[in-house]
Amino acid sequence: MLNKLEVGLPLVSVVIPSFNHAAFVAECIESVMAQDYARIELVVIDDGSSDHSVRVIESLVSGCEARFERFAFWHQANAGVAATLNAGLAWCRGEFVCPIASDDVMLPGKISRQVANFADCAPEVLALYGGEQVIGADGAVLRERDYPRCVYRFEDVLLRYSFLSAPSAMFRLAPLKAIGYQPGLVVEDWSMSLRLLENGGVFLNTGEVWVKKRLHDSNVSWQFEAIWDCSLTILARYRDHRLYSKALARVMVAQAFYYFRTNRREALRWLWRAWRVDVGVVWDRRLLWSAYLRFFR
């Protein structure tokens, strides 16, 4: 039962798309249940898992119904992350929304701190991001990324200067619901961010560490060629933009860093390709700093 002070708080929606994360999804849901913010609604959607994810989620349903202002869970034939997120957004009624993958974890106080931060933000701030603890499949902390406090505009995201930890995000629901996620992309977050910022909004990274982001063998981040193909599809929307060539070169640099630990020769090939597109890319200190923080810190 909400008290008088809690009734006046904005409702926060949380969307968890789940796919074959039976080993992780309970920890994700329980981290939302443990938040100290009262007004939360949660929707969990299983996207055609072939493991026992559904049974794990079903074991938590009664606790979720007691904890949250609204709660829903359903499972469906596999539709992909973007379509699943869009289905979740359509269900939501909150002022703000936190999408989080079912293998990631919210740290205590995440939602309450973000709502407090949003209270001090101008309407043009469409999303808040923070830092992250990177954890392995066993939950051990591998490193911490406490990104610097910074405001990001469309050009910053297009040129890969931004530090956007996906599980840390809290969005204003209405603008995100209006554009949705683009189906068929393995890096749907980058496409969504660019389209959300096209008309002048900004993102704020507060630098506070709010989540645990899990790395394991099935992460999309290891699918290097799929990420490249998807990035080209996303950039095609901006082919006539004055920064298109620079953006293309910076995607190539990102590919180089993806390969750096596993195939140095392939990494150098991508750097050469980037230099041929934009000779200034190798001297771009802001890009190199952001790449260092993203890939090596």
Side-chain angles (χ1 to χ4, degrees):
M1 190 73 175
L2 300 176
N3 62 41
K4 290 182 179 179
L5 291 176
E6 291 171 338
V7 168
L9 295 173
L11 178 64
V12 176
S13 307
V14 178
V15 180
I16 301 177
S18 177
F19 179 70
N20 285 346
H21 284 161
F24 311 126
V25 66
E27 185 179 7
C28 178
I29 294 172
E30 288 166 353
S31 75
V32 184
M33 296 175 70
Q35 293 294 302
D36 61 2
Y37 190 80
R39 298 203 63 204
I40 301 175
E41 61 176 17
L42 171 66
V43 56
V44 182
I45 307 173
D46 183 83
D47 189 33
S49 293
S50 57
D51 62 7
H52 60 283
S53 293
V54 171
R55 292 201 304 274
V56 173
I57 298 166
E58 287 176 339
S59 72
L60 297 169
V61 165
S62 60
C64 288
E65 290 174 338
R67 164 63 179 90
F68 298 114
E69 192 163 319
R70 292 176 70 228
F71 173 73
F73 165 60
W74 67 84
H75 51 93
Q76 62 189 27
N78 183 259
V81 176
T84 304
L85 285 167
N86 288 337
L89 291 177
W91 178 89
C92 293
R93 298 178 184 171
E95 182 176 343
F96 305 111
V97 60
C98 300
I100 184 168
S102 54
D103 54 347
D104 295 329
V105 181
M106 290 187 180
L107 290 174
K110 173 192 187 287
I111 290 178
S112 58
R113 289 290 302 129
Q114 288 185 304
V115 171
N117 273 268
F118 254 124
D120 296 327
C121 290
E124 68 173 351
V125 178
L126 302 181
L128 294 179
Y129 286 84
E132 60 192 16
Q133 293 178 356
V134 180
I135 62 175
D138 61 355
V141 177
L142 305 176
R143 56 189 177 274
E144 185 168 286
R145 294 168 172 163
D146 52 339
Y147 298 139
R149 184 179 179 91
C150 193
V151 172
Y152 299 120
R153 294 172 171 80
F154 172 82
E155 289 78 8
D156 300 313
V157 178
L158 182 67
L159 295 178
R160 309 300 288 259
Y161 292 152
S162 53
F163 312 98
L164 302 177
S165 164
S168 76
M170 175 182 280
F171 298 90
R172 296 188 191 275
L173 175 60
L176 182 59
K177 185 182 285 191
I179 65 155
Y181 290 85
Q182 186 175 348
L185 301 178
V186 296
V187 284
E188 69 283 338
D189 288 334
W190 191 36
S191 170
M192 173 275 296
S193 297
L194 291 170
R195 290 182 294 115
L196 197 56
L197 297 177
E198 281 179 356
N199 296 318
V202 300
F203 293 162
L204 171 64
N205 190 321
T206 69
E208 298 177 63
V209 176
W210 283 329
V211 293
K212 296 180 180 180
K213 179 178 176 61
R214 196 182 306 268
L215 293 184
H216 52 86
D217 290 343
S218 61
N219 282 133
V220 169
S221 54
W222 303 116
Q223 300 174 25
F224 304 154
E225 290 304 317
I227 290 173
W228 167 246
D229 292 340
C230 182
S231 297
L232 289 182
T233 299
I234 294 168
L235 281 180
R237 179 182 177 94
Y238 307 104
R239 185 173 295 276
D240 296 328
H241 194 281
R242 60 184 176 80
L243 295 176
Y244 173 79
S245 293
K246 289 181 178 294
L248 179 61
R250 281 147 184 81
V251 170
M252 292 175 176
V253 170
Q255 287 295 114
F257 281 108
Y258 282 131
Y259 279 107
F260 188 80
R261 287 196 177 100
T262 59
N263 189 333
R264 296 289 178 87
R265 179 172 293 184
E266 186 69 8
L268 289 173
R269 186 176 75 86
W270 281 102
L271 287 174
W272 169 249
R273 291 181 66 183
W275 180 81
R276 292 185 65 186
V277 172
D278 176 19
V279 294
V281 73
V282 296
W283 312 114
D284 189 337
R285 293 183 179 180
R286 193 176 175 193
L287 174 68
L288 296 176
W289 175 241
S290 66
Y292 164 73
L293 291 177
R294 183 177 296 112
F295 294 103
F296 298 106
R297 187 173 176 181

